[in-house]
Coordinates of all heavy atoms in Angstrom, one line a residue:
K236 N 13.1 2.3 -12.6 CA 13.1 3.6 -12.2 C 11.8 4.2 -13.0 O 11.8 4.1 -14.2 CB 14.3 4.4 -12.6 CG 14.4 5.7 -12.3 CD 15.7 6.4 -12.7 CE 15.7 8.0 -12.5 NZ 16.8 8.6 -13.1
A246 N 7.8 20.4 -6.8 CA 8.9 19.8 -6.0 C 9.2 18.6 -6.6 O 8.6 18.0 -7.7 CB 8.2 19.5 -4.5
H247 N 10.1 17.8 -6.1 CA 10.5 16.4 -6.6 C 10.7 15.5 -5.4 O 11.5 15.7 -4.4 CB 11.9 16.6 -7.3 CG 12.4 15.2 -7.9 ND1 13.8 15.0 -8.1 CD2 11.8 14.0 -8.0 CE1 13.8 13.8 -8.5 NE2 12.7 13.2 -8.4
V248 N 9.9 14.4 -5.4 CA 9.8 13.4 -4.4 C 10.3 12.1 -5.0 O 9.8 11.6 -6.1 CB 8.5 13.3 -3.7 CG1 8.3 12.3 -2.8 CG2 8.1 14.6 -3.2
A249 N 11.1 11.4 -4.2 CA 11.5 10.0 -4.7 C 10.9 9.0 -3.7 O 10.7 9.3 -2.5 CB 12.9 9.9 -4.7
L250 N 10.4 7.9 -4.4 CA 9.7 6.7 -3.5 C 10.6 5.5 -3.9 O 10.9 5.3 -5.1 CB 8.4 6.5 -4.0 CG 7.4 7.8 -4.0 CD1 6.0 7.3 -4.6 CD2 7.2 8.3 -2.5
V251 N 10.9 4.8 -2.8 CA 11.7 3.6 -3.0 C 11.0 2.4 -2.4 O 10.5 2.5 -1.2 CB 13.1 3.7 -2.3 CG1 13.9 2.4 -2.5 CG2 13.8 4.9 -2.9
G252 N 10.7 1.2 -3.2 CA 10.0 0.2 -2.6 C 10.8 -1.1 -2.7 O 11.4 -1.4 -3.6
K253 N 10.7 -1.9 -1.5 CA 11.2 -3.1 -1.4 C 10.5 -4.1 -2.3 O 9.3 -4.4 -2.0 CB 11.2 -3.6 0.0 CG 11.7 -5.1 0.2 CD 11.7 -5.5 1.7 CE 11.9 -7.0 1.8 NZ 11.9 -7.5 3.3
V284 N 4.6 1.6 -4.5 CA 5.1 2.6 -5.2 C 4.7 2.6 -6.6 O 4.3 3.6 -7.2 CB 6.8 2.5 -5.2 CG1 7.4 3.5 -6.2 CG2 7.2 2.7 -3.8
T287 N 1.1 3.8 -6.8 CA 1.1 5.3 -6.7 C 1.3 5.9 -7.9 O 0.6 6.9 -8.3 CB 2.2 5.7 -5.6 OG1 1.8 5.1 -4.3 CG2 2.3 7.2 -5.5
V298 N 3.7 17.4 -8.4 CA 5.0 17.2 -8.0 C 5.7 16.1 -8.9 O 4.9 15.2 -9.3 CB 4.9 16.6 -6.5 CG1 6.3 16.1 -6.0 CG2 4.5 17.6 -5.6
K299 N 6.9 16.4 -9.2 CA 7.6 15.3 -9.9 C 7.9 14.1 -9.0 O 8.4 14.3 -7.8 CB 8.9 15.8 -10.4 CG 9.9 14.7 -11.1 CD 11.1 15.4 -11.7 CE 12.1 14.2 -12.2 NZ 13.3 14.7 -12.6
V300 N 7.5 12.9 -9.4 CA 7.8 11.7 -8.6 C 8.6 10.7 -9.3 O 8.4 10.4 -10.5 CB 6.6 11.1 -8.2 CG1 6.7 9.8 -7.4 CG2 5.6 12.0 -7.5
T301 N 9.8 10.4 -8.7 CA 10.6 9.2 -9.1 C 10.5 8.1 -8.2 O 10.7 8.2 -7.1 CB 12.1 9.6 -9.2 OG1 12.2 10.9 -9.9 CG2 13.0 8.6 -10.0
G302 N 10.1 6.9 -8.9 CA 9.8 5.6 -8.1 C 10.9 4.7 -8.4 O 11.3 4.5 -9.5
Y303 N 11.4 4.0 -7.4 CA 12.4 2.9 -7.6 C 11.8 1.6 -7.1 O 11.4 1.5 -5.9 CB 13.7 3.2 -6.9 CG 14.4 4.4 -7.3 CD1 14.2 5.6 -7.0 CD2 15.4 4.3 -8.4 CE1 14.9 6.9 -7.3 CE2 16.1 5.4 -8.9 CZ 15.9 6.6 -8.4 OH 16.4 7.8 -8.9
L304 N 11.6 0.6 -8.0 CA 11.3 -0.7 -7.5 C 12.5 -1.6 -7.5 O 13.2 -1.8 -8.7 CB 10.2 -1.3 -8.6 CG 9.2 -0.3 -9.0 CD1 8.1 -1.0 -9.9 CD2 8.4 0.3 -7.9
V305 N 12.8 -2.2 -6.4 CA 14.1 -2.8 -6.3 C 13.7 -4.4 -6.2 O 13.2 -4.7 -5.1 CB 14.9 -2.4 -5.0 CG1 16.3 -3.0 -5.2 CG2 15.0 -0.9 -5.0
R325 N 25.8 0.7 -3.6 CA 26.0 1.6 -4.7 C 26.7 2.9 -4.3 O 27.4 3.5 -4.9 CB 24.5 2.0 -5.1 CG 24.4 3.3 -6.0 CD 24.9 3.1 -7.4 NE 24.9 4.4 -8.1 CZ 25.3 4.5 -9.3 NH1 25.7 3.5 -10.0 NH2 25.2 5.8 -9.9
N326 N 26.5 3.3 -2.8 CA 27.2 4.5 -2.4 C 28.5 4.3 -2.0 O 29.2 5.1 -1.4 CB 26.2 5.2 -1.4 CG 26.2 4.5 0.0 OD1 26.8 3.4 0.2 ND2 25.7 5.2 1.0
I342 N 19.0 -4.6 -0.3 CA 18.5 -4.1 -1.6 C 18.1 -2.6 -1.6 O 18.2 -1.8 -2.5 CB 17.4 -4.9 -2.3 CG1 16.0 -4.9 -1.5 CG2 17.8 -6.5 -2.3 CD1 15.0 -5.6 -2.3
L343 N 17.4 -2.3 -0.5 CA 17.0 -0.8 -0.3 C 18.3 0.1 -0.2 O 18.1 1.2 -0.7 CB 16.3 -0.6 1.0 CG 14.8 -1.3 0.9 CD1 14.1 -1.2 2.3 CD2 13.9 -0.5 -0.2
A344 N 19.4 -0.4 0.3 CA 20.6 0.5 0.4 C 20.9 1.0 -1.1 O 21.3 2.1 -1.2 CB 21.7 -0.4 0.9
D345 N 20.9 0.1 -2.1 CA 21.1 0.5 -3.5 C 20.0 1.4 -3.9 O 20.3 2.5 -4.6 CB 21.2 -0.8 -4.4 CG 22.5 -1.5 -4.2 OD1 23.5 -0.9 -3.8 OD2 22.4 -2.8 -4.4
G346 N 18.8 1.2 -3.8 CA 17.7 2.0 -4.1 C 17.7 3.3 -3.5 O 17.6 4.3 -4.3
L347 N 18.0 3.4 -2.3 CA 18.1 4.6 -1.5 C 19.2 5.5 -2.2 O 19.3 6.8 -2.3 CB 18.2 4.5 -0.1 CG 16.9 4.0 0.6 CD1 17.2 3.6 2.1 CD2 15.9 5.1 0.7
S348 N 20.3 4.8 -2.3 CA 21.7 5.5 -2.9 C 21.4 6.1 -4.2 O 21.8 7.2 -4.5 CB 22.8 4.5 -3.0 OG 23.1 3.9 -1.7
L349 N 20.7 5.4 -5.0 CA 20.3 5.9 -6.4 C 19.4 7.1 -6.3 O 19.5 8.2 -7.0 CB 19.7 4.9 -7.3 CG 20.7 3.7 -7.8 CD1 19.9 2.5 -8.3 CD2 21.7 4.3 -8.8
A350 N 18.4 7.0 -5.3 CA 17.5 8.1 -5.2 C 18.2 9.4 -4.6 O 18.0 10.5 -5.2 CB 16.4 7.7 -4.1
V351 N 19.1 9.2 -3.8 CA 19.9 10.4 -3.3 C 20.6 11.0 -4.4 O 20.7 12.3 -4.4 CB 20.9 9.8 -2.2 CG1 21.9 10.9 -1.8 CG2 20.2 9.4 -0.9
E352 N 21.1 10.3 -5.3 CA 22.0 10.9 -6.5 C 21.1 11.9 -7.3 O 21.6 12.8 -7.9 CB 22.4 9.8 -7.4 CG 23.5 9.0 -6.6 CD 23.9 7.7 -7.5 OE1 23.7 7.7 -8.7 OE2 24.3 6.8 -6.8
Q353 N 19.7 11.7 -7.2 CA 18.8 12.6 -8.0 C 18.6 13.9 -7.2 O 18.0 14.8 -7.7 CB 17.5 12.0 -8.3 CG 17.6 10.7 -9.0 CD 18.1 10.9 -10.3 OE1 17.6 11.7 -11.1 NE2 19.1 10.0 -10.7
Q354 N 19.0 14.0 -6.0 CA 18.9 15.2 -5.1 C 17.4 15.6 -5.1 O 17.1 16.8 -5.4 CB 19.9 16.3 -5.6 CG 21.3 16.1 -5.3 CD 21.7 16.1 -3.8 OE1 21.4 17.1 -3.2 NE2 22.1 15.0 -3.3
P355 N 16.5 14.7 -4.7 CA 15.1 15.1 -4.6 C 14.8 15.9 -3.4 O 15.8 16.0 -2.4 CB 14.3 13.8 -4.5 CG 15.3 12.8 -4.0 CD 16.7 13.2 -4.4
D356 N 13.7 16.6 -3.2 CA 13.3 17.3 -2.0 C 13.1 16.4 -0.8 O 13.3 16.8 0.3 CB 12.1 18.2 -2.2 CG 12.4 19.2 -3.3 OD1 13.3 20.0 -3.1 OD2 11.7 19.2 -4.4
A357 N 12.7 15.2 -1.1 CA 12.5 14.2 0.0 C 12.5 12.8 -0.6 O 12.1 12.6 -1.8 CB 11.1 14.5 0.7
I358 N 12.8 11.8 0.3 CA 12.7 10.4 -0.1 C 11.9 9.7 0.9 O 11.9 9.9 2.1 CB 14.1 9.7 -0.1 CG1 15.1 10.4 -1.0 CG2 14.0 8.2 -0.4 CD1 16.5 9.9 -1.0
F359 N 11.0 8.8 0.4 CA 10.1 7.9 1.2 C 10.4 6.5 0.8 O 10.4 6.3 -0.5 CB 8.7 8.2 1.0 CG 8.2 9.7 1.4 CD1 8.4 10.7 0.6 CD2 7.8 10.0 2.8 CE1 8.0 12.0 1.0 CE2 7.4 11.2 3.1 CZ 7.6 12.2 2.3
D360 N 10.7 5.6 1.7 CA 10.9 4.2 1.3 C 9.7 3.5 2.0 O 9.2 3.9 3.0 CB 12.2 3.6 1.6 CG 12.4 3.3 2.9 OD1 11.9 2.2 3.5 OD2 13.2 4.0 3.7
I361 N 9.3 2.4 1.5 CA 8.2 1.6 1.9 C 8.6 0.1 1.9 O 9.1 -0.3 0.7 CB 6.9 1.9 1.3 CG1 5.7 1.0 1.9 CG2 6.9 1.8 -0.3 CD1 4.4 1.6 1.6
A362 N 8.5 -0.6 2.9 CA 9.0 -2.0 2.9 C 8.4 -2.9 4.0 O 8.2 -2.4 5.0 CB 10.5 -2.0 3.1
A378 N 5.1 1.3 11.1 CA 6.0 2.0 11.8 C 6.6 3.1 10.8 O 6.8 2.8 9.6 CB 7.1 1.2 12.3
V379 N 6.7 4.3 11.3 CA 7.4 5.3 10.4 C 8.5 5.9 11.3 O 8.6 6.1 12.5 CB 6.5 6.5 10.1 CG1 5.8 7.2 11.3 CG2 7.1 7.6 9.2
L380 N 9.8 5.9 10.6 CA 11.0 6.5 11.1 C 11.6 7.3 10.1 O 11.4 7.2 8.9 CB 12.0 5.4 11.6 CG 11.5 4.4 12.5 CD1 10.9 3.1 11.9 CD2 12.6 3.9 13.4
G381 N 12.5 8.3 10.4 CA 13.1 9.1 9.4 C 14.1 10.1 10.0 O 14.2 10.2 11.2
S382 N 14.7 10.8 9.1 CA 15.7 11.9 9.4 C 15.1 13.2 9.6 O 16.0 14.0 9.9 CB 16.8 11.7 8.4 OG 16.2 12.1 7.2
D383 N 13.8 13.4 9.3 CA 13.2 14.8 9.1 C 11.9 14.8 9.8 O 11.0 14.2 9.2 CB 13.3 15.1 7.7 CG 13.0 16.6 7.5 OD1 11.8 16.9 7.4 OD2 13.8 17.4 7.3
A384 N 11.7 15.7 10.7 CA 10.4 15.8 11.5 C 9.3 16.2 10.4 O 8.2 15.7 10.5 CB 10.6 16.7 12.6
A385 N 9.6 17.0 9.5 CA 8.6 17.5 8.6 C 8.1 16.5 7.6 O 7.0 16.4 7.5 CB 9.1 18.7 7.8
V386 N 9.0 15.7 7.0 CA 8.5 14.6 6.2 C 7.8 13.5 7.0 O 6.8 13.0 6.4 CB 9.6 14.0 5.2 CG1 10.2 15.1 4.5 CG2 10.7 13.4 6.0
I387 N 8.3 13.3 8.2 CA 7.5 12.3 9.1 C 6.2 12.8 9.3 O 5.2 12.1 9.3 CB 8.3 12.0 10.4 CG1 9.6 11.2 10.0 CG2 7.5 11.2 11.3 CD1 10.5 11.1 11.2
D388 N 6.0 14.0 9.6 CA 4.7 14.6 9.8 C 3.8 14.5 8.5 O 2.6 14.4 8.7 CB 4.8 16.2 10.1 CG 5.0 16.4 11.6 OD1 4.6 15.4 12.4 OD2 5.3 17.5 12.1
R389 N 4.4 14.7 7.4 CA 3.6 14.5 6.2 C 3.0 13.1 6.1 O 1.8 12.9 5.8 CB 4.4 14.8 5.0 CG 4.7 16.2 4.7 CD 5.5 16.3 3.3 NE 5.9 17.7 3.1 CZ 5.1 18.7 2.5 NH1 3.9 18.3 2.1 NH2 5.5 19.9 2.4
V390 N 3.8 12.2 6.5 CA 3.3 10.8 6.5 C 2.3 10.6 7.5 O 1.2 10.0 7.3 CB 4.5 9.8 6.8 CG1 3.9 8.3 7.1 CG2 5.6 9.7 5.7
R391 N 2.4 11.2 8.7 CA 1.4 11.1 9.8 C 0.0 11.7 9.4 O -1.0 11.2 9.5 CB 1.8 11.7 11.0 CG 3.1 10.9 11.6 CD 3.6 11.4 12.9 NE 2.6 11.0 13.9 CZ 2.7 11.3 15.3 NH1 3.7 12.1 15.7 NH2 1.9 10.8 16.1
L406 N 14.5 7.0 15.4 CA 15.6 6.7 14.6 C 16.9 7.0 15.5 O 17.5 8.0 15.4 CB 15.7 7.6 13.3 CG 16.8 7.2 12.4 CD1 16.5 5.9 11.6 CD2 17.1 8.3 11.4
A436 N 16.0 0.6 10.5 CA 16.0 1.9 9.9 C 17.4 2.6 10.0 O 17.8 3.5 9.3 CB 14.9 2.6 10.7
L439 N 19.3 1.7 7.2 CA 18.9 2.3 6.0 C 19.4 3.9 5.9 O 19.8 4.4 4.9 CB 17.4 2.4 5.8 CG 16.6 1.1 5.7 CD1 15.1 1.2 5.6 CD2 17.2 0.4 4.5
S440 N 19.5 4.5 7.1 CA 19.9 5.9 7.3 C 21.4 6.0 6.7 O 21.8 7.1 6.4 CB 19.7 6.4 8.7 OG 20.8 5.9 9.5
E441 N 22.2 5.0 6.6 CA 23.5 5.1 6.2 C 23.5 5.3 4.6 O 24.5 5.6 4.0 CB 24.2 3.8 6.3 CG 24.5 3.6 7.8 CD 25.7 4.4 8.4 OE1 26.5 4.7 7.6 OE2 25.5 4.7 9.5
F442 N 22.2 5.3 4.0 CA 22.2 5.4 2.5 C 21.3 6.5 2.1 O 21.0 6.6 0.9 CB 21.7 4.0 2.0 CG 22.7 2.8 2.4 CD1 22.4 2.1 3.6 CD2 23.8 2.7 1.6 CE1 23.3 1.2 4.0 CE2 24.7 1.6 2.0 CZ 24.3 0.9 3.2
T443 N 20.9 7.4 3.0 CA 20.0 8.4 2.6 C 20.6 9.8 2.5 O 20.0 10.8 2.2 CB 18.8 8.5 3.6 OG1 19.3 8.8 4.9 CG2 17.9 7.1 3.5
G444 N 22.0 9.8 2.6 CA 22.7 11.1 2.4 C 22.1 12.2 3.4 O 21.8 12.0 4.5
D445 N 22.0 13.4 2.8 CA 21.5 14.4 3.6 C 20.1 14.8 3.0 O 19.7 16.0 3.2 CB 22.4 15.7 3.6 CG 22.8 16.1 2.2 OD1 22.2 15.5 1.2 OD2 23.7 17.0 2.1
I446 N 19.4 13.9 2.3 CA 18.0 14.2 1.8 C 17.0 13.9 3.0 O 17.1 12.9 3.6 CB 17.7 13.3 0.7 CG1 18.8 13.4 -0.4 CG2 16.4 13.7 0.1 CD1 19.0 14.8 -1.1
P447 N 16.1 14.8 3.2 CA 15.0 14.5 4.2 C 14.3 13.2 3.8 O 13.9 13.1 2.7 CB 14.1 15.7 4.0 CG 14.9 16.8 3.5 CD 15.9 16.1 2.6
W448 N 14.2 12.4 4.8 CA 13.7 10.9 4.5 C 12.8 10.4 5.6 O 13.1 10.7 6.7 CB 15.0 10.1 4.3 CG 14.9 8.7 4.6 CD1 14.3 7.7 3.7 CD2 15.3 7.9 5.7 NE1 14.4 6.5 4.3 CE2 15.0 6.5 5.3 CE3 16.0 8.2 6.8 CZ2 15.3 5.5 6.3 CZ3 16.3 7.2 7.7 CH2 15.9 5.8 7.4
A449 N 11.9 9.6 5.0 CA 11.0 8.9 6.1 C 10.9 7.4 5.5 O 10.8 7.3 4.3 CB 9.6 9.5 6.2
H450 N 10.8 6.5 6.4 CA 10.8 5.1 6.1 C 9.6 4.4 6.7 O 9.2 4.8 7.9 CB 12.1 4.4 6.7 CG 11.9 3.0 7.0 ND1 11.7 2.0 6.0 CD2 12.0 2.3 8.3 CE1 11.7 0.8 6.6 NE2 11.8 0.9 8.0
L451 N 8.8 3.8 5.9 CA 7.6 3.0 6.4 C 7.8 1.5 6.4 O 8.2 0.9 5.4 CB 6.4 3.4 5.4 CG 5.8 4.6 5.5 CD1 4.9 5.0 4.2 CD2 4.8 4.6 6.7
D452 N 7.8 1.0 7.6 CA 7.8 -0.5 7.8 C 6.4 -1.0 7.9 O 5.7 -0.9 8.8 CB 8.7 -0.7 9.0 CG 9.0 -2.3 9.0 OD1 8.3 -3.2 8.5 OD2 10.1 -2.6 9.6
L477 N -1.9 6.1 1.0 CA -1.1 7.0 1.8 C 0.0 7.7 1.1 O 0.1 9.0 1.1 CB -0.4 6.2 3.0 CG 0.3 6.9 4.1 CD1 0.4 5.9 5.4 CD2 1.5 7.5 3.8
L478 N 0.7 7.0 0.2 CA 1.8 7.7 -0.6 C 1.2 8.6 -1.7 O 1.8 9.7 -1.9 CB 2.7 6.7 -1.2 CG 3.7 5.9 -0.3 CD1 4.5 4.9 -1.1 CD2 4.6 6.9 0.4
V481 N 0.4 11.7 0.1 CA 1.8 12.4 0.6 C 2.2 13.4 -0.8 O 2.4 14.5 -0.6 CB 2.9 11.4 0.9 CG1 4.2 12.2 0.8 CG2 2.7 10.9 2.3
V482 N 2.1 12.7 -1.9 CA 2.7 13.4 -3.1 C 1.7 14.4 -3.6 O 2.1 15.5 -4.1 CB 3.3 12.5 -4.1 CG1 4.5 11.7 -3.7 CG2 2.4 11.4 -4.8
W485 N 1.4 17.7 -1.5 CA 2.6 18.3 -1.2 C 2.6 19.8 -1.1 O 1.9 20.5 -2.0 CB 3.7 17.9 -2.2 CG 5.2 18.1 -1.7 CD1 5.9 19.3 -2.1 CD2 5.9 17.3 -0.9 NE1 7.0 19.1 -1.4 CE2 7.1 17.9 -0.7 CE3 5.7 16.0 -0.4 CZ2 8.0 17.5 0.0 CZ3 6.6 15.5 0.4 CH2 7.8 16.1 0.7

Side-chain angles (χ1 to χ4, degrees):
K236 180 182 177 191
H247 178 200
V248 172
L250 307 176
V251 182
K253 171 179 172 181
V284 171
T287 295
V298 171
K299 174 179 174 182
V300 179
T301 309
Y303 294 88
L304 317 182
V305 195
R325 167 74 186 183
N326 75 352
I342 70 173
L343 287 173
D345 288 331
L347 289 166
S348 301
L349 288 166
V351 168
E352 291 167 27
Q353 305 294 309
Q354 291 288 301
D356 297 300
I358 300 175
F359 297 87
D360 79 75
I361 178 163
V379 59
L380 304 92
S382 61
D383 183 278
V386 299
I387 291 171
D388 268 349
R389 285 181 186 273
V390 170
R391 298 185 74 178
L406 183 74
L439 296 180
S440 74
E441 293 286 325
F442 302 92
T443 57
D445 53 8
I446 309 291
W448 156 73
H450 155 66
L451 280 162
D452 191 331
L477 191 162
L478 288 176
V481 165
V482 296
W485 197 264

